[in-house]
Amino acid sequence: MKHLLLTLLLFLTLNGFSQPPCGSNPAAGNTCATATPICELNGYCGNTSASYTANSWSQSCGFLGLSDCGLNGEFCGSIENNSFLTFVASSSSISFDVWVYNSTYGDGIQIMIFSANNCSGTVNSYYCDALSPSASSQSVSASGLTPGNTYYIMIDGFAGDVCDYTFAANTGIAIPVDVSPANSSICVGETVALTASGGNGTFTWVASPNLSGTTGSTVTATPPTTPGTYTYTVNSATGNPLCPSSTTATATIVVNPCGCTVNATNSGPVCSGTSTINLFATTIVGATYSWTGPNGFVSSTQNPTGVPIPSAPGTYNFTVDVNDNGSLCSSITTVTVNALPAVNAGTNSSICIGGSVTLSGSGAQSYTWNNGATDGVAFNPTMNQTYTVTGTDANGCVNTDQVDLVVNPLPTVSAGAPQAVCQGASVILSGSGAQSYTWNNSVTNGISFTPGSTQTYTVTGTDANGCQNTGQVVVTVNPLPLVEAGLPQAVCQGTSVTLSGSGAQSYTWNNGGIDNVPFTPNATLTYTCTGTDANGCQNTDQVIVTVNPSPTVNAGNDQAVCAGTSITLSASGASNYVWNNGVTNGIAFTPGSTQTYTVTVSANGCQSTDQVTVTVNALPIVNAGADQSICIGSELTLSGSGAQNYIWNNGVADGVSFTPGSTQTYTVTGTDANGCTDTDQITVTIVLIPNASVSADVTNGSPTLTVNFDNNSTNASTYHWSFGDGFQTNASTSASQQYGYTIPGEYVVVLTAANGACVDTDTLLITVIPVPDPIVVIPNIFTPNGDHNNDQFFLEVSYAKSVKVQIVNRWGDKMVDYDDVQGYWDGTVNGNLASDGVYFFNYQVEGLNGTILSGHGNVQLIR
């Protein structure tokens, strides 16, 4: 039986893209748990019989378990009469063709490819679709499979339809083992190449007469020269536990006596890289020869020479076919291409100059070296060089290899520059020029130590190549100087002293002291002098400097006074005080400006001073504001400036409004942030309130309306007129005004009367009445017969500014036109009477308010 894994060539050979015949196979299982194992899918036939019952299950999944991941939820339709097959995947994809026929209802089938653990729980669907009845094949394919895993094919009648179906395998299910050719017939001496396929791709051949090997997909069989039938067997596991019987295939070769005998030989064996060989065949008089071999070699010569041979190691068969007057025979000669020996010159190495080295080859049988080296014999190289070894094996094949030998120079080791240290000081010795260092005299490289006397130290340095060299350094130990700090000293606090060292070359002091530089100590201290000699060696000595305290004095706290105010300065802390600037301790005086005053006291030969600053603050520049005039009965607010706080006389509060009863002068006293004060005054004058009054000769009318206004105001000196339409004017007298209005509307006229500080207003309403639209009355007949009754045609208009009229007869001839409110037509044309009949007119009337009326009509003339 075949599995689903069939090559395209095999598929085309078996199917030819046509429906394959049905094989003998078991029916599909009624449930997933009883699914039928399938090994042979090519030509598998089945039926969606009504005897199949629906088999399914549910599995909650998704958000809050609201989805179904079981067979019910994953299937692409409704389940009616499903059945099941099972298979083991041999690749990540599966494909096969399906023919659907003999449909009872014409609906077809539904196919699903899926996996499910023990036919329960979550279902993973790889394919699900409906296939309609058709004479043509329909393709089914799925991907994402895992080779070696078990999967299911479910076949269900669409809507319960009962149909026949046939499968034709393409790829995806492991196939049984096959061998090609399965049967062959050859002449004595001929060979057959046998090729295995299917299974799991790994093949084991049963040892048979003259097989070229027992593993691999292709072997060459050279049956015995005795005519007869010979059998060759190959085994391979299919990887499908459902198909245990499909692991073996057999090929049969029949050897026939073909009538002649030939023997083929060659000039080999040869070493890999040899380009040609010579072939030889038995001489048969009158016969023809045909040679074939690797890389497409052919020749009709009996004994070909210079035959190209593959360079890769191995055995290569050359076959000669002989035709002896119709009798055929053949022979095979095998040429062995021996691999070149894997010669090894050893690993690259390095030595220090002056050292010896031994070179030894391996991988062959005998060895020769270049550059004067002998295999296995030590020698002393003097420079870097590449050495080549030539090795020859037992077959006489030769190969070479190389090794690099580096001759490293000795390191240039330095112990460092000579050093000089002071007695008792430590020193560090560090070598350079190598990688690691060892010293004599118990010295450790890079670690400090204290030498007892002047000595020479030797270092041995080893570099990264293991090569060594030495270096030396002298360490000189110098004695310490005898340093003197000088005699003890005593000074008053604030007095400077000078410290001077001796016995060395240079000196440094602690506590801020500098040699031979005066400084002022703050307290009694012991000062240490460190002296350094010409060798840089140091020693110390000490001296005590006593600082006598200065007497305590306190000039008091800084003070501030207003200009012109007296002050008293009194120091404390002593008994006698001397002030500068003519001040006597405890006696009041009046400072003229801000100044600092110093007091001095003496005790135990030492003096002390202290200072106090007296700030003289200027008086504030207080401003009560400019003099004001206000209307009688009006409120007023007085606010001082130039200080911080303000007090007014006459019961006035700063920044608070009040109503003065009469003209008066007010005084404000201002105090600044320093408590200094000053005053200022303001005079408030009470003014009478004016009385505004306006009248007019007319207060309403039509455009254009001219109005004469009378100014009846009292107690005022200036006037402002506003006429209600945006126009304004000022007047210095109470003269009357005249103003004209051309636009209809209501206008509020405002007269403002003022006498400087006080103001009063009066208003008057002027109404301009709009003109109505023009009114037009048009007659439809007139009788110009001279009886002075209806003898003229004219438009009777009201509120009109202009009238334009044109009159024509029925043929469009103009009778008359006029542009006059009083215009008319008397029924004549150029002095001649117009005939009776109907005439047509157009008119345009412009009203006094600008409105334009236009129209047309007809009028009948009757005499």
Side-chain angles (χ1 to χ4, degrees), residues 27-35 47-57 71-72 75 77-85 109-112 114 119 128 152-162 165:
N30 188 37
T31 66
C32 176
T34 61
N47 180 268
T48 58
S49 170
S51 63
Y52 285 117
T53 58
N55 172 236
S56 63
W57 65 89
L71 189 61
N72 278 328
F75 188 57
S78 61
I79 298 175
E80 308 291 343
N81 50 348
N82 57 341
S83 56
F84 299 84
L85 302 174
I109 65 176
Q110 300 178 98
I111 289 183
M112 181 182 186
F114 69 94
C119 291
C128 191
Y152 298 93
I153 302 175
M154 187 179 87
I155 308 99
D156 182 64
F158 191 92
D161 197 2
V162 177
Y165 58 86

Side-chain angles (χ1 to χ4, degrees), residues 546-795:
T546 302
V547 178
N548 292 316
S550 297
T552 301
V553 63
N554 185 358
N557 296 327
D558 292 340
Q559 300 186 44
V561 297
C562 296
T565 303
S566 66
I567 188 172
T568 301
L569 298 181
S570 297
S572 62
S575 56
N576 296 311
Y577 307 95
V578 177
W579 291 85
N580 68 343
N581 296 323
V583 174
T584 301
N585 193 69
I587 303 301
F589 69 99
T590 302
S593 61
T594 298
Q595 202 160 4
T596 298
Y597 299 86
T598 301
V599 62
T600 303
V601 297
S602 298
N604 300 320
C606 298
Q607 286 186 338
S608 293
T609 63
D610 193 22
Q611 292 181 323
V612 63
T613 298
V614 177
T615 301
V616 178
N617 295 313
L619 301 182
I621 301 174
V622 177
N623 186 1
D627 293 340
Q628 298 187 41
S629 295
I630 64 171
C631 299
I632 189 170
S634 298
E635 288 188 344
L636 173 66
T637 301
L638 297 180
S639 298
S641 62
Q644 195 172 50
N645 299 309
Y646 306 93
I647 298 175
W648 294 81
N649 66 345
N650 296 323
V652 174
D654 191 74
V656 179
S657 63
F658 68 100
T659 303
S662 61
T663 297
Q664 201 163 1
T665 297
Y666 298 86
T667 301
V668 62
T669 300
T671 304
D672 63 11
N674 299 314
C676 299
T677 63
D678 203 357
T679 62
D680 193 26
Q681 292 181 324
I682 182 176
T683 299
V684 177
T685 302
I686 303 302
V687 181
L688 294 176
I689 298 174
N691 180 26
S693 176
V694 60
S695 60
D697 61 343
V698 61
T699 58
N700 59 73
S702 300
T704 296
L705 176 65
T706 299
V707 180
N708 293 305
F709 296 97
D710 291 325
N711 183 354
N712 305 313
S713 303
T714 59
N715 294 330
S717 58
T718 61
Y719 305 92
H720 178 269
W721 292 84
S722 175
F723 296 102
D725 60 353
F727 182 79
Q728 303 181 41
T729 185
N730 293 314
S732 59
T733 65
S734 60
S736 299
Q737 301 287 327
Q738 186 182 75
Y739 195 72
Y741 296 91
T742 60
I743 300 174
E746 291 186 338
Y747 302 89
V748 177
V749 177
V750 178
L751 172 61
T752 302
N755 60 7
C758 303
V759 177
D760 191 26
T761 60
D762 191 20
T763 61
L764 186 66
L765 179 64
I766 302 299
T767 302
V768 180
I769 302 170
V771 177
D773 290 342
I775 300 174
V776 181
V777 178
I778 304 173
N780 59 6
I781 189 172
F782 76 109
T783 56
N785 53 15
D787 62 358
H788 303 291
N789 182 24
N790 198 25
D791 281 341
Q792 298 169 337
F793 171 78
F794 58 91
L795 302 185

Side-chain angles (χ1 to χ4, degrees), residues 37-122:
I38 289 299
C39 296
E40 176 65 76
L41 193 63
N42 195 61
Y44 182 89
C45 297
N47 180 268
T48 58
S49 170
S51 63
Y52 285 117
T53 58
N55 172 236
S56 63
W57 65 89
S58 296
Q59 174 67 42
S60 62
C61 64
F63 180 70
L64 299 179
L66 300 178
S67 299
D68 186 357
C69 290
L71 189 61
N72 278 328
E74 296 300 317
F75 188 57
C76 52
S78 61
I79 298 175
E80 308 291 343
N81 50 348
N82 57 341
S83 56
F84 299 84
L85 302 174
T86 183
F87 68 93
V88 176
S90 64
S91 66
S92 61
S93 62
I94 178 175
S95 67
F96 53 89
D97 291 336
V98 182
W99 283 262
V100 181
Y101 50 96
N102 296 334
S103 172
T104 301
Y105 306 114
D107 293 320
I109 65 176
Q110 300 178 98
I111 289 183
M112 181 182 186
I113 300 173
F114 69 94
S115 64
N117 187 20
N118 296 325
C119 291
S120 64
T122 299

Side-chain angles (χ1 to χ4, degrees), residues 232-499:
Y232 299 85
T233 302
V234 63
N235 296 299
S236 178
T238 64
N240 187 349
L242 306 177
C243 311
S245 62
S246 303
T247 62
T248 300
T250 301
T252 301
I253 301 177
V254 177
V255 179
N256 300 301
C258 296
C260 69
T261 301
V262 66
N263 184 35
T265 59
N266 62 76
S267 60
V270 296
C271 296
S272 177
T274 302
S275 59
T276 62
I277 60 166
N278 298 326
L279 301 175
F280 309 98
T282 305
T283 300
I284 301 175
V285 178
T288 60
Y289 297 83
S290 176
W291 287 88
T292 58
N295 298 334
F297 168 73
V298 294
S299 176
S300 60
T301 302
Q302 177 187 345
N303 299 315
T305 59
V307 176
I309 187 73
S311 61
T315 57
Y316 299 92
N317 292 332
F318 290 84
T319 302
V320 61
D321 294 317
V322 179
N323 187 336
D324 182 11
N325 296 318
S327 295
L328 304 178
C329 57
S330 64
S331 180
I332 297 175
T333 181
T334 301
V335 178
T336 299
V337 178
N338 293 311
L340 299 183
V343 176
N344 186 355
T347 59
N348 297 330
S349 62
S350 63
I351 63 170
C352 299
I353 192 166
S356 66
V357 66
T358 300
L359 299 179
S360 298
S362 63
Q365 198 169 51
S366 63
Y367 309 92
T368 59
W369 292 83
N370 69 342
N371 296 327
T374 301
D375 195 69
V377 178
F379 67 102
N380 299 96
T382 59
M383 61 181 179
N384 297 343
Q385 204 154 17
T386 299
Y387 294 85
T388 302
V389 63
T390 302
T392 305
D393 64 9
N395 296 317
C397 294
V398 177
N399 208 347
T400 63
D401 192 25
Q402 292 180 323
V403 64
D404 291 328
L405 182 61
V406 177
V407 178
N408 295 307
L410 300 183
T412 303
V413 177
S414 173
Q419 297 189 45
V421 297
C422 299
Q423 186 177 9
S426 63
V427 66
I428 296 176
L429 297 181
S430 298
S432 63
Q435 194 171 52
S436 62
Y437 308 91
T438 58
W439 292 81
N440 67 344
N441 296 328
S442 301
V443 173
T444 301
N445 193 70
I447 303 300
S448 65
F449 69 99
T450 304
S453 61
T454 299
Q455 279 194 51
T456 298
Y457 296 87
T458 301
V459 63
T460 300
T462 304
D463 64 12
N465 301 311
C467 300
Q468 291 183 335
N469 211 343
T470 62
Q472 290 183 324
V473 64
V474 175
V475 177
T476 302
V477 178
N478 295 310
L480 303 181
L482 299 175
V483 177
E484 291 289 338
L487 298 175
Q489 300 185 47
V491 296
C492 290
Q493 189 174 15
T495 303
S496 65
V497 298
T498 301
L499 300 178

